[in-house]
């Protein structure tokens, strides 16, 4: 697996991005066998939906889904690739909690890849699910 | 149309949200007849995809789509409603530009509403398209 | 679990539908604990993409996804419910094979439910994935 | 525009497909300037949702969306291309009516293309909307 990027290498790429750096996204682990990447994101005051609610706005949750899926594809490609499209379904409010996105590659082709992303809160409750299509290894 | 919220009323609701306030989202106009709302968002340094690229990260674009669709539904409901799900398709990079989202309600039902959102850059080039489902007037 | 519909009860509802009857959709099993329903569909000559190719056209695959998700929701509601929207991603061609859809409810709410549907061929290869939103138990 | 396929050429390709031939899909018109293709589909007994309801099952509506979007891409590419993914939103029941899909290319790139598809009934009421991603001209 020496040709696969490590958590540290991908985290270093992630932090070059001002948005990802600002959001505090952190790669927690990579499972190369199941093609799964886990990314966490802490709550920030700027990410609140309503003042003093402690609730995440949907926008940063969608951004976490997009980014986690992208870095799951990077396991194959070596670096993040352009997102083609993605879908976000919100299942429950996320309140006063950090979020954890588990991104699993369902298909990594030359042209496109498809990734599923589950987002859970600190109690392992499912908050949102995402599904994204990304440029493939030849993209 | 006296029962329809004005631009100023919806902008006031928008700014109560720390995330929307931070993002600088601004309601530019509402066309009540065609059920269309126009929202702008300026570039922020925190929204950059890569340092010194001037390119928008996809996450804030998705957030703009979600929020613009939500406030288009608010034309009917009087206030923003929960997003059920939405899809974002990225068509072109957006570089050194503010963004304009034009959100048009395709169907506003009691249970759910469906909104199309086109995002253009300062040259009126299409950057991304979104489609969202939101809770309806009875939601 | 006496209030949950059985495979036979749901299959009987399924066959009342001319389209589902024509397509040959068959409920293979229900796992009430994991909220998962398995549905099979045989190849029909009318479902071929190109003459003599043996390849499934994408349309019937999307129909299988929609229907399998719907009947997974029916585990909760007792009968199929209106589909609000769904997404289909095609991963590999399906050739000279019957298809099996495994539909798992991710969230069953009063207003809406969200279901994931994986479609595999006779060799257990993943052919397509779907994600649908359906009217909930109060819909 | 002599290098663009005509309605007759695309209709001939369409009818080579057993599924499309069975479904009765017909290309009504192509507007090359706006990159828009109109396709009709008559009701068939096999497409009914419930016996004697006259209502279209969602599956054939999704198939119409997929196919119309595909042939809109074919305006550029010369022949239908693989669908990568698509989303279907159902807005109103379609009862005792033929359907008309208006498919408009939003972006035709080398790798992927994005198409919007509106489906209306015989009274020009919007029944469903679709959005699809297809392989591009280099696909």
């Amino acid at each position: 697996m020496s040709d696969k990027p490590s958590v540290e290498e991908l985290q270093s790429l992630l932090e070059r991005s001002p948005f990802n750096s600002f959001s505090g996204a952190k790669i927690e682990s990579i499972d190369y066998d199941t093609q799964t990447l886990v990314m966490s994101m802490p709550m920030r005051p700027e990410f609140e939906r309503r003042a003093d609610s402690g609730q995440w706005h949907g926008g940063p949750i969608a951004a976490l889904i997009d980014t986690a899926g992208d870095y799951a594809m990077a396991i194959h490609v070596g670096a993040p690739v352009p997102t083609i499209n993605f879908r976000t379904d919100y299942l429950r409010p996320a309140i006063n909690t950090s979020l954890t996105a588990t991104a699993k590659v369902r298909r990594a082709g030359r042209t496109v890849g498809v990734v599923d992303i589950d987002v859970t809160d600190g109690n392992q409750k499912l908050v949102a699910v995402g599904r994204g299509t990304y440029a493939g290894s030849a993209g």
Side-chain angles (χ1 to χ4, degrees), chain A:
Chain A
M1 290 287 176
S2 60
D3 57 338
K4 297 287 187 186
S6 67
V7 167
E8 292 70 27
E9 285 165 341
L10 287 184
Q11 182 68 28
S12 170
L13 287 173
L14 187 69
E15 292 177 4
R16 286 194 210 167
S17 160
F19 178 75
N20 290 331
S21 185
F22 168 72
S23 73
K26 186 182 168 201
I27 301 172
E28 298 286 349
S29 63
I30 298 173
D31 185 320
Y32 297 97
D33 290 335
T34 62
Q35 310 182 69
T36 303
L37 177 141
V38 178
M39 181 178 286
S40 65
M41 193 177 283
M43 185 61 178
R44 285 190 62 99
E46 294 90 344
F47 287 172
E48 213 177 17
R49 186 185 181 202
R50 290 185 199 154
D52 305 320
S53 69
Q55 186 183 343
W56 281 75
H57 188 283
I61 296 175
L64 170 60
I65 285 173
D66 182 13
T67 305
D70 198 7
Y71 277 80
M73 277 300 294
I75 299 176
H76 291 272
V77 183
V81 288
T83 307
I84 296 173
N85 62 54
F86 75 110
R87 171 177 168 136
T88 301
D89 288 75
Y90 298 106
L91 305 189
R92 287 186 193 82
I95 301 174
N96 292 325
T97 183
S98 63
L99 296 179
T100 301
T102 302
K104 180 172 170 50
V105 177
R106 304 301 303 274
R107 176 88 173 108
R110 286 190 69 257
T111 313
V112 299
V114 176
V115 186
D116 275 358
I117 305 101
D118 282 4
V119 179
T120 52
D121 65 14
N123 295 318
Q124 282 78 50
K125 292 281 259 182
L126 199 59
V127 163
V129 291
R131 175 164 288 164
T133 301
Y134 299 86
S137 54

